[in-house]
Amino acid sequence: MDPETHLNSTPLRRRTANAAEFNAIPAHVYPQTLRRETAGEHRGEVTIAGVPLTEIAETFGTPAFVMDEEDFRTRCRRLAKAFGGGHFVHYASKAFLSKTVARWVMDEGLSLDVASLGELQVALAAGFPAERITVHGNNKSPEFLRLAVSEGAELIVVDSLQEIEALSTVVGELGKTQDVLVRVTPGVHVDTHEFIATSHEDQKFGFSLASGAAHHAAMACHTADGVRLRGLHCHVGSQVFEAAGFALAAERLLGLWKQLLDSIATLTDEHAVDPSQGVGSDAPTLLDTLDLGGGYGIAYMPDQEALDVEEVASELKSKVRKAAESAGVPEPTLNVEPGRAIAGPSMITLYRVGTVKDVEVADGISRRYISVDGGMSDNIRPALYQAEYDCRVANREVAGELLPTRIVGSHCESGDVLVNDALVPEDVRPGDLLMIGATGAYCYAMASRYNMMTRPPVVRVADGEARLMIRRETIDDVLALEE
């Protein structure tokens, strides 16, 4: 789910002033090893991890995703340090997952979120330890649940009463016990720098706090055979830069936490059983984990701010501690899901410029359309969410007057727009290389074969070397699927 579907496009607060500013790369939007060379044989060209993008285009073709391994790993380490250990930080498989990326996450000591059977299968194929995997999803199949339980997934986030019943059946058949969190909709929705403490419960995920459904679901877990209730989970927004909304969510969830402890104690007294055991259950309830979800914001545009990981982590931990004290419950273990904040800024997409044409949109006013060899099949987010991206020419410095420009793809679709409104120097021409920043999250993961334009490759770069992570899909791959 990407709550940006509910947002209007935000106009830029500041526009590109001149060609020199266009040639300057905003470091907080792009991978940390990416730069425009100022001297030597590659002067004016953009390199990443010491590799010229022109060489990557020549070797691997365009369009291509290019991922900076050092940037990715550095972001993992910052988050792990900020939250007191990698185990508490859950990488979002849905943002971008491959066996290679799963191994990087494993190497850095982080945990992993999966939201489908396929994501779980890829993680396991990479050798990722199941005991560091949390399983999400509003419609988990029996096969999905069975694999998660049999492999020993750390936590399953339950999303319906039907799922609790199905999970109890699966663990019974396998002779296992499964730890769970209950996903709660707390009536808090966070977007960037604002949060609204209103009901946001008309959605497919979770159990309503206000209606009592979340309490009922948690007690159902407490009494279900083979299911051990470990805590609560919520997701309050996307592109979050501050801890304020999380604090309100924590306050509400820990209020429910207190109610659950009271209800469990009452139920225990009524049935005169061991307090650690659920009535009718063979698995002890152990409320110790609060997962406040995510995801943390990144800068897509030069005038947007990058997330201050350390500041947000410190504030969030402090607010959870105070909320626990206020609710009169022990401070829980805090899990977080940074979402796009790791993969997003670590990747760019590299395109080749094709058709360049000027379209008169009013008397004496024209807009330039620059077509590239990819489009909505490799980045659907502008079409779906009106998402904004930054673009730069990668093979040289450009000059001339800035023209109102739209960067578009090659698909047979008028909505095939990658950058809707930019000011680009007039001498961009066919054959130039264009790069778009911050495409590591939800671009390759949501890619399609619209118009039979096959999925681009993913190239990993590190220490002056570019290597293929995922090869380019071919028409032969497509034809092989058909009987």
Side-chain angles (χ1 to χ4, degrees):
M1 184 181 109
D2 191 330
E4 289 180 10
T5 51
H6 306 298
L7 300 178
N8 294 322
S9 180
T10 302
L12 288 175
R13 295 186 296 273
R14 185 181 184 282
R15 304 277 284 178
T16 304
N18 50 49
E21 189 172 291
F22 180 86
N23 289 322
I25 298 169
H28 63 294
V29 175
Y30 288 84
Q32 65 182 40
T33 70
L34 185 143
R35 59 182 51 85
R36 191 180 297 279
E37 299 297 329
T38 58
E41 64 175 314
H42 296 293
R43 185 182 184 280
E45 293 184 31
V46 175
T47 62
I48 183 169
V51 183
L53 290 180
T54 53
E55 291 185 8
I56 291 176
E58 183 178 349
T59 302
F60 301 100
T62 56
F65 293 101
V66 184
M67 175 164 268
D68 182 345
E69 180 178 350
E70 181 179 335
D71 186 279
F72 185 97
R73 288 182 180 272
T74 297
R75 293 176 191 279
C76 289
R77 291 167 191 165
R78 281 189 67 192
L79 282 158
K81 183 178 180 181
F83 283 99
H87 184 78
F88 307 119
V89 179
H90 292 242
Y91 176 77
S93 295
K94 66 177 184 176
F96 175 70
L97 184 66
S98 68
K99 290 192 295 183
T100 299
V101 162
R103 289 171 185 143
W104 292 350
V105 174
M106 178 173 61
D107 290 345
E108 300 302 332
L110 272 61
S111 296
L112 191 71
D113 282 345
V114 298
S116 72
L117 174 61
E119 289 178 359
L120 178 57
Q121 289 170 325
V122 170
L124 294 173
F128 198 94
E131 62 269 20
R132 279 160 49 194
I133 294 177
T134 294
V135 177
H136 291 268
N138 67 300
N139 186 34
K140 303 179 190 74
S141 67
E143 182 184 7
F144 188 13
L145 290 175
R146 184 173 292 276
L147 182 61
V149 173
S150 64
E151 292 292 333
E154 180 186 16
L155 292 164
I156 293 179
V157 181
V158 295
D159 204 84
S160 68
L161 295 176
Q162 176 183 318
E163 180 183 346
I164 296 168
E165 182 178 346
L167 180 58
S168 183
T169 299
V170 167
V171 296
E173 292 171 352
L174 294 174
K176 301 264 191 175
T177 296
Q178 180 60 54
D179 290 353
V180 302
L181 304 179
V182 172
R183 178 155 181 171
V184 180
T185 51
V188 180
H189 183 58
V190 180
D191 283 312
T192 314
H193 294 285
E194 299 179 0
F195 72 93
I196 304 171
T198 59
S199 61
H200 185 69
E201 298 174 350
D202 187 9
Q203 58 168 294
K204 71 176 186 177
F205 293 107
F207 297 93
S208 165
L209 177 63
S211 71
H215 183 279
H216 178 66
M219 293 305 294
C221 290
H222 176 66
T223 58
D225 286 336
V227 175
R228 182 167 69 165
L229 178 62
R230 287 281 304 280
L232 304 174
H233 173 281
C234 71
H235 181 86
V236 298
S238 187
Q239 274 292 85
V240 181
F241 289 89
E242 297 179 344
F246 290 118
L248 180 56
E251 179 183 327
R252 293 185 177 184
L253 263 64
L254 290 172
L256 171 60
W257 194 293
K258 179 65 165 63
Q259 294 172 16
L260 290 171
L261 291 175
D262 292 343
S263 296
I264 290 170
T266 299
L267 192 62
T268 299
D269 290 341
E270 290 176 353
H271 292 266
V273 297
D274 186 325
S276 67
Q277 299 290 322
V279 177
S281 170
D282 56 4
T285 286
L286 177 62
L287 282 173
D288 66 354
T289 301
L290 179 65
D291 190 330
L292 291 178
Y296 300 152
I298 68 172
Y300 284 100
M301 300 296 291
D303 67 334
Q304 295 173 338
E305 298 176 359
L307 173 75
D308 187 328
V309 170
E310 291 76 16
E311 180 180 339
V312 169
S314 176
E315 186 178 358
L316 183 56
K317 289 187 290 185
S318 173
K319 289 182 180 296
V320 168
R321 188 179 306 114
K322 291 177 182 177
E325 291 174 359
S326 177
V329 300
E331 182 181 349
T333 296
L334 176 64
N335 287 348
V336 295
E337 302 168 7
R340 75 191 74 193
I342 297 175
S346 300
M347 187 183 286
I348 65 165
T349 309
L350 189 60
Y351 301 98
R352 183 78 65 182
V353 173
T355 301
V356 177
K357 69 177 180 180
D358 297 323
V359 176
E360 186 173 341
V361 295
D363 289 343
I365 300 176
S366 295
R367 185 193 302 276
R368 173 156 290 183
Y369 279 75
I370 297 177
S371 299
V372 297
D373 53 357
M376 64 192 305
S377 60
D378 59 72
N379 189 354
I380 192 64
R381 296 187 70 253
L384 280 183
Y385 310 133
Q386 297 78 54
E388 294 180 301
Y389 285 91
D390 184 76
C391 67
R392 308 282 157 155
V393 172
N395 58 301
R396 64 187 179 94
E397 291 184 308
V398 289
E401 180 186 355
L402 297 181
L403 301 179
T405 301
R406 187 164 286 166
I407 310 300
V408 297
S410 298
H411 294 282
C412 189
E413 185 76 38
S414 59
D416 179 25
V417 176
L418 292 170
V419 178
N420 186 55
D421 185 20
L423 291 174
V424 177
E426 62 184 333
D427 77 334
V428 175
R429 52 182 180 259
D432 279 335
L433 291 176
L434 194 76
M435 64 178 182
I436 290 182
T439 57
Y442 310 114
C443 290
Y444 187 90
M446 300 176 75
S448 72
R449 291 197 300 266
Y450 184 44
N451 291 150
M452 286 298 167
M453 291 177 63
T454 54
R455 293 176 179 88
V458 179
V459 180
R460 56 184 284 194
V461 289
D463 301 322
E465 183 181 6
R467 298 166 55 192
L468 198 60
M469 181 191 297
I470 302 174
R471 69 169 174 83
R472 186 182 302 278
E473 192 177 50
T474 68
I475 288 297
D476 286 341
D477 293 328
V478 178
L479 294 175
L481 296 172
E482 189 170 347
E483 298 292 339

Tab-separated table of all heavy atoms in Angstrom, residues 217-236:
chain	number	residue	atom	x	y	z
A	217	ALA	N	-9.612	-9.305	18.350
A	217	ALA	CA	-8.663	-10.123	17.601
A	217	ALA	C	-7.502	-10.561	18.486
A	217	ALA	O	-7.043	-11.715	18.418
A	217	ALA	CB	-8.144	-9.348	16.389
A	218	ALA	N	-7.003	-9.646	19.312
A	218	ALA	CA	-5.895	-9.995	20.199
A	218	ALA	C	-6.305	-11.080	21.185
A	218	ALA	O	-5.535	-12.015	21.462
A	218	ALA	CB	-5.407	-8.752	20.934
A	219	MET	N	-7.504	-10.991	21.716
A	219	MET	CA	-7.974	-12.023	22.643
A	219	MET	C	-8.202	-13.349	21.912
A	219	MET	O	-7.999	-14.426	22.493
A	219	MET	CB	-9.252	-11.557	23.336
A	219	MET	CG	-9.053	-10.374	24.277
A	219	MET	SD	-7.786	-10.662	25.544
A	219	MET	CE	-8.565	-11.975	26.501
A	220	ALA	N	-8.579	-13.266	20.633
A	220	ALA	CA	-8.724	-14.489	19.841
A	220	ALA	C	-7.370	-15.169	19.675
A	220	ALA	O	-7.260	-16.401	19.721
A	220	ALA	CB	-9.340	-14.170	18.484
A	221	CYS	N	-6.319	-14.372	19.496
A	221	CYS	CA	-4.966	-14.937	19.425
A	221	CYS	C	-4.565	-15.557	20.761
A	221	CYS	O	-3.933	-16.615	20.811
A	221	CYS	CB	-3.960	-13.854	19.038
A	221	CYS	SG	-4.105	-13.268	17.340
A	222	HIS	N	-4.929	-14.877	21.840
A	222	HIS	CA	-4.584	-15.358	23.178
A	222	HIS	C	-5.170	-16.742	23.450
A	222	HIS	O	-4.541	-17.574	24.120
A	222	HIS	CB	-5.084	-14.363	24.217
A	222	HIS	CG	-4.876	-14.791	25.635
A	222	HIS	ND1	-3.629	-14.934	26.199
A	222	HIS	CD2	-5.775	-15.125	26.604
A	222	HIS	CE1	-3.758	-15.330	27.454
A	222	HIS	NE2	-5.051	-15.451	27.723
A	223	THR	N	-6.341	-16.991	22.922
A	223	THR	CA	-7.012	-18.268	23.206
A	223	THR	C	-6.847	-19.313	22.105
A	223	THR	O	-7.260	-20.458	22.289
A	223	THR	CB	-8.520	-18.029	23.439
A	223	THR	OG1	-9.087	-17.407	22.278
A	223	THR	CG2	-8.742	-17.127	24.655
A	224	ALA	N	-6.259	-18.929	20.982
A	224	ALA	CA	-6.122	-19.870	19.858
A	224	ALA	C	-4.995	-20.862	20.120
A	224	ALA	O	-3.907	-20.486	20.557
A	224	ALA	CB	-5.852	-19.101	18.565
A	225	ASP	N	-5.234	-22.111	19.848
A	225	ASP	CA	-4.228	-23.149	20.033
A	225	ASP	C	-3.031	-22.909	19.120
A	225	ASP	O	-3.177	-22.639	17.931
A	225	ASP	CB	-4.815	-24.529	19.731
A	225	ASP	CG	-5.738	-25.017	20.830
A	225	ASP	OD1	-5.580	-24.554	21.973
A	225	ASP	OD2	-6.619	-25.861	20.544
A	226	GLY	N	-1.848	-23.015	19.682
A	226	GLY	CA	-0.622	-22.929	18.894
A	226	GLY	C	-0.206	-21.538	18.487
A	226	GLY	O	0.816	-21.369	17.830
A	227	VAL	N	-0.995	-20.530	18.875
A	227	VAL	CA	-0.711	-19.145	18.497
A	227	VAL	C	-0.318	-18.374	19.755
A	227	VAL	O	-1.056	-18.372	20.740
A	227	VAL	CB	-1.938	-18.486	17.834
A	227	VAL	CG1	-1.676	-17.015	17.555
A	227	VAL	CG2	-2.300	-19.216	16.545
A	228	ARG	N	0.848	-17.748	19.714
A	228	ARG	CA	1.302	-16.978	20.871
A	228	ARG	C	1.298	-15.501	20.534
A	228	ARG	O	2.012	-15.043	19.636
A	228	ARG	CB	2.707	-17.407	21.301
A	228	ARG	CG	3.190	-16.642	22.539
A	228	ARG	CD	4.424	-17.236	23.178
A	228	ARG	NE	5.613	-17.087	22.358
A	228	ARG	CZ	6.852	-17.260	22.823
A	228	ARG	NH1	7.027	-17.600	24.094
A	228	ARG	NH2	7.879	-17.118	22.028
A	229	LEU	N	0.507	-14.734	21.256
A	229	LEU	CA	0.410	-13.292	21.044
A	229	LEU	C	1.653	-12.614	21.616
A	229	LEU	O	1.929	-12.698	22.813
A	229	LEU	CB	-0.847	-12.741	21.722
A	229	LEU	CG	-1.066	-11.226	21.631
A	229	LEU	CD1	-1.223	-10.785	20.184
A	229	LEU	CD2	-2.277	-10.810	22.458
A	230	ARG	N	2.405	-11.916	20.741
A	230	ARG	CA	3.628	-11.257	21.167
A	230	ARG	C	3.485	-9.731	21.225
A	230	ARG	O	4.293	-9.069	21.875
A	230	ARG	CB	4.762	-11.608	20.202
A	230	ARG	CG	5.282	-13.034	20.344
A	230	ARG	CD	6.220	-13.157	21.524
A	230	ARG	NE	7.317	-12.216	21.423
A	230	ARG	CZ	8.399	-12.386	20.668
A	230	ARG	NH1	8.516	-13.494	19.923
A	230	ARG	NH2	9.360	-11.487	20.651
A	231	GLY	N	2.485	-9.180	20.521
A	231	GLY	CA	2.365	-7.732	20.555
A	231	GLY	C	1.463	-7.186	19.479
A	231	GLY	O	0.619	-7.902	18.922
A	232	LEU	N	1.668	-5.896	19.171
A	232	LEU	CA	0.780	-5.161	18.266
A	232	LEU	C	1.601	-4.488	17.167
A	232	LEU	O	2.766	-4.137	17.354
A	232	LEU	CB	-0.005	-4.105	19.038
A	232	LEU	CG	-0.839	-4.608	20.223
A	232	LEU	CD1	-1.437	-3.429	20.986
A	232	LEU	CD2	-1.927	-5.574	19.767
A	233	HIS	N	0.939	-4.288	16.030
A	233	HIS	CA	1.567	-3.670	14.870
A	233	HIS	C	0.625	-2.633	14.291
A	233	HIS	O	-0.600	-2.784	14.345
A	233	HIS	CB	1.861	-4.737	13.799
A	233	HIS	CG	2.369	-4.177	12.494
A	233	HIS	ND1	1.521	-3.607	11.562
A	233	HIS	CD2	3.612	-4.085	11.976
A	233	HIS	CE1	2.249	-3.189	10.524
A	233	HIS	NE2	3.501	-3.478	10.748
A	234	CYS	N	1.189	-1.561	13.734
A	234	CYS	CA	0.367	-0.614	12.975
A	234	CYS	C	1.222	0.008	11.882
A	234	CYS	O	2.454	-0.079	11.897
A	234	CYS	CB	-0.232	0.471	13.866
A	234	CYS	SG	0.970	1.670	14.484
A	235	HIS	N	0.556	0.622	10.932
A	235	HIS	CA	1.230	1.365	9.856
A	235	HIS	C	0.478	2.668	9.713
A	235	HIS	O	-0.697	2.678	9.348
A	235	HIS	CB	1.181	0.571	8.546
A	235	HIS	CG	1.878	1.262	7.411
A	235	HIS	ND1	3.228	1.132	7.181
A	235	HIS	CD2	1.406	2.095	6.461
A	235	HIS	CE1	3.563	1.849	6.120
A	235	HIS	NE2	2.470	2.451	5.664
A	236	VAL	N	1.170	3.772	10.026
A	236	VAL	CA	0.459	5.046	10.088
A	236	VAL	C	0.691	5.945	8.888
A	236	VAL	O	0.104	7.022	8.820
A	236	VAL	CB	0.817	5.812	11.383
A	236	VAL	CG1	0.387	5.026	12.610
A	236	VAL	CG2	2.303	6.123	11.426
